[in-house]
Amino acid sequence: MQSLQVCLRSEPVTDKFLTMSGISGDDRRRPATLVHTSDCHLEKADGGPEQMAFQAVIDMAIDRQADALLIAGDLFDHNRVNAEIVIWVASQLNRFPGPVVLLVGNHDSLHDASVHRRHDLRDTCERLIMLDHPDGKSLDLPGSDISVWGRAMVEHSPEFRPLANAPMARVDRWSVIAAHGLVEAGEGRSSPMTNKEISELSADYVALGHVHVHTIVHESPPTRYSGATHVHWTETSGCVVVDFIPGEGACAQWVSVDKYLSVGVNA
């Protein structure tokens, strides 16, 4: 399967969905494109399928002239990865000319021993912006009208609520909420989210990570698991491309990156 596309038209303005202003004919936000990926699980600089898929996502984002790239958790497979793969990731992110937003996940959470504390990618990636606040942080992305909010996961535990304290959306920005966790996880599971929480969010798009298969979670607000960059059991590689269209809303499409897969990875 090459792609799965769902285009969602905005509803009339309500107190609940403040960003749905475009339908009134006064949507002054610029069109924008966001590439949403997660669960890259990069571990070794060995030219494996995870590396090849990640490189292909970067190639696709460049080819589509995306305004921003969002990684919704688990960029790295664990917190013990060595410097070689971190340096390679930095080289790939630096190829993308726009802002890169990074949220951590349960595999690379932001505790004291985190890979992100040993190797801060912001030191070598000047366009990388990290959602690193445990209580949540909003970022206005340079060069576009996209704003992204997310909570940094310090510990993957039942007490961590990825969507807690999510802000109301803004009429002047494409409002994106990023979260890493499991929807309807069940009692006692870590980093839980509920369908009720999601349905009450005010956002143009909700970008999720943790589930490795692309999944449509909600239509209002549009909520997607991007799926892993490479899924071993299906041998598929891809990500979600979100086009924000003034007066209409978000058009979310899972896109295969197979045509960008090269024989080997760039050094």
Side-chain angles (χ1 to χ4, degrees):
M1 180 171 61
Q2 292 300 305
S3 67
L4 178 61
Q5 181 170 347
V6 180
C7 295
L8 301 150
R9 299 187 71 86
S10 299
E11 299 174 356
V13 178
T14 68
D15 290 338
K16 185 176 178 182
F17 296 105
L18 292 180
T19 56
M20 303 305 184
S21 59
I23 206 72
S24 68
D26 192 32
D27 192 341
R28 299 183 181 182
R29 295 171 296 182
R30 293 171 289 176
T33 298
L34 173 73
V35 172
H36 162 211
T37 189
S38 70
D39 299 278
C40 312
H41 290 286
L42 295 161
E43 180 182 18
K44 298 176 181 178
D46 59 359
E50 287 82 9
Q51 268 191 284
M52 293 180 65
F54 187 75
Q55 179 175 286
V57 167
I58 301 295
D59 287 337
M60 187 273 293
I62 294 170
D63 190 35
R64 293 209 171 200
Q65 299 182 323
D67 294 281
L69 171 65
L70 169 61
I71 303 169
D74 287 353
L75 171 61
F76 296 109
D77 189 56
H78 52 75
N79 282 310
R80 304 178 305 282
V81 298
N82 61 34
E84 184 181 9
I85 187 65
V86 177
I87 292 169
W88 182 85
V89 167
S91 72
Q92 293 299 306
L93 295 180
N94 281 330
R95 293 197 299 118
F96 180 67
V100 177
V101 181
L102 176 60
L103 180 74
V104 301
N106 57 301
H107 282 253
D108 57 357
S109 52
L110 207 57
H111 50 64
D112 290 343
S114 174
V115 57
H116 298 290
R117 298 200 185 279
R118 290 189 293 114
H119 303 285
D120 193 332
L121 283 167
R122 290 170 292 190
D123 293 338
T124 51
C125 302
E126 63 180 33
R127 290 179 298 278
L128 185 136
I129 310 170
M130 198 162 182
L131 293 165
D132 58 357
H133 200 292
D135 293 325
K137 181 178 183 178
S138 289
L139 304 168
D140 288 349
L141 305 190
S144 75
D145 290 338
I146 301 172
S147 179
V148 183
W149 177 92
R151 295 188 73 199
M153 181 190 298
V154 178
E155 295 290 347
H156 183 48
S157 68
E159 291 73 34
F160 178 70
R161 308 288 303 200
L163 298 175
N165 305 317
M168 295 294 291
R170 292 160 47 188
V171 296
D172 62 330
R173 309 290 295 188
W174 297 111
S175 297
V176 176
I177 291 174
H180 193 93
L182 193 59
V183 177
E184 299 300 342
E187 187 176 355
R189 297 292 296 274
S190 297
S191 305
M193 297 177 281
T194 68
N195 283 309
K196 183 175 185 296
E197 279 183 299
I198 294 171
S199 67
E200 293 174 349
L201 292 173
S202 171
D204 290 291
Y205 180 71
V206 181
L208 300 182
H210 192 49
V211 172
H212 285 199
V213 176
H214 170 254
T215 305
I216 298 172
V217 179
H218 263 267
E219 300 291 7
S220 183
T223 305
R224 306 288 184 267
Y225 280 107
S226 65
T229 49
H230 179 75
V231 181
H232 282 275
W233 56 89
T234 60
E235 290 300 317
T236 54
S237 300
C239 58
V240 171
V241 177
V242 187
D243 290 311
F244 296 105
I245 305 167
E248 297 187 14
C251 179
Q253 179 183 17
W254 185 87
V255 177
S256 168
V257 295
D258 283 355
K259 76 173 186 177
Y260 298 98
L261 294 173
S262 58
V263 175
V265 298
N266 296 328

